[in-house]
């Protein structure tokens, strides 16, 4: 049984993330989507861990070999707990490379039994990020198609509240 871990903060999950998860699920027997609590990232996530897990769970409900779990530990410790030997990350552009390279090296240093592998983003999503989605939505732009529909509604409601 080959199990892979797709980690991220997913605040919120985008169509780009989902493309990587779907492609990983077509290669591995099982995929665990690990939602990092990341309380300090970017001044704190817009959505709670439960909300982020919920959005992804709904979006992958058609994929029987994908499960979604929150975590608040080192990534390699979570990979061990989930019995996943492979960490899958999406790579969008050269700008992602340096950060991803550093994380992959550090994770290898922490546990050399766990491999990091990369799936290249398709061109359509190469420009897409959770922070760009939040910025567009914050200024009233449409993010339809860039995130699942449920996230569109939740973004509109959350940003309306905070205005
Ligand atoms: O989607 P993101 O926010 O770029 O994902 C980053 C994530 C969650 C993969 C990274 O922050 C992480 O691995 N967090 C867990 C804590 C950890 O292990 N940090 C050391 C990694 S070198």
């Amino acid at each position: 049984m080959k199990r892979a871990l797709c980690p991220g903060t997913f605040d919120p999950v985008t169509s780009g993330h989902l493309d990587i998860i779907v492609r990983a699920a077509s290669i591995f027997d099982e995929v665990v989507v690990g939602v990092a609590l990341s309380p300090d990232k970017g001044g704190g996530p817009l959505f709670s861990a439960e909300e982020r897990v919920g959005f992804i769970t709904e979006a992958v409900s058609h994929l029987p070999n994908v499960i979604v779990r929150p975590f608040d530990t080192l990534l390699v410790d979570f990979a061990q707990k989930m019995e996943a030997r492979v960490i899958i990350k999406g790579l969008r552009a050269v700008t992602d490379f340096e950060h991803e390279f550093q994380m992959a090296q550090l994770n290898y240093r922490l546990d050399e039994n766990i491999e990091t592998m990369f799936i290249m983003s398709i061109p359509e999503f190469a420009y897409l990020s959770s922070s760009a989605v939040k910025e567009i939505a914050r200024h009233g732009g449409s993010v339809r198609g860039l995130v699942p529909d449920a996230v569109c509604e939740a973004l509109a409601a959350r940003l309306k509240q905070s205005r």
Side-chain angles (χ1 to χ4, degrees):
M1 164 80 72
K2 291 261 184 285
R3 187 177 289 155
L5 170 61
C6 288
T9 303
F10 303 111
D11 184 44
V13 68
T14 68
S15 304
H17 292 134
L18 291 169
D19 177 56
I20 302 295
I21 293 166
V22 167
R23 287 158 69 192
S26 75
I27 298 167
F28 291 90
D29 299 317
E30 273 184 24
V31 169
V32 179
V33 180
V35 178
L37 266 53
S38 302
D40 304 323
K41 192 175 173 182
L46 181 63
F47 294 106
S48 70
E50 292 72 27
E51 288 170 313
R52 287 178 273 144
V53 167
F55 294 141
I56 306 171
T57 304
E58 191 182 328
V60 300
S61 60
H62 61 295
L63 298 170
N65 62 335
V66 179
I67 59 167
V68 190
R69 297 285 182 270
F71 75 100
D72 194 18
T73 60
L74 278 178
L75 183 57
V76 290
D77 290 343
F78 183 61
Q80 276 167 13
K81 186 175 160 199
M82 290 290 124
E83 297 179 359
R85 276 207 56 208
V86 177
I87 292 169
I88 296 288
K89 300 295 302 271
L91 262 193
R92 287 166 302 186
V94 186
T95 41
D96 277 343
F97 180 79
E98 203 166 313
H99 181 60
E100 294 298 343
F101 184 70
Q102 184 191 17
M103 283 202 288
Q105 299 289 334
L106 285 168
N107 285 328
Y108 186 78
R109 172 79 206 267
L110 291 167
D111 187 340
E112 59 188 49
N113 293 311
I114 295 173
E115 290 292 347
T116 303
M117 295 184 181
F118 295 94
I119 294 181
M120 300 295 162
S121 167
I122 56 169
E124 192 185 342
F125 298 134
Y127 58 88
L128 186 54
S129 67
S130 299
S131 35
V133 161
K134 284 182 281 193
E135 190 165 326
I136 294 168
R138 203 167 276 132
H139 292 288
S142 171
V143 291
R144 191 94 29 213
L146 302 180
V147 291
D149 286 349
V151 173
C152 269
E153 322 308 339
L155 271 168
R158 182 64 44 92
L159 295 169
K160 202 166 157 188
Q161 266 171 25
S162 62
R163 248 179 234 144

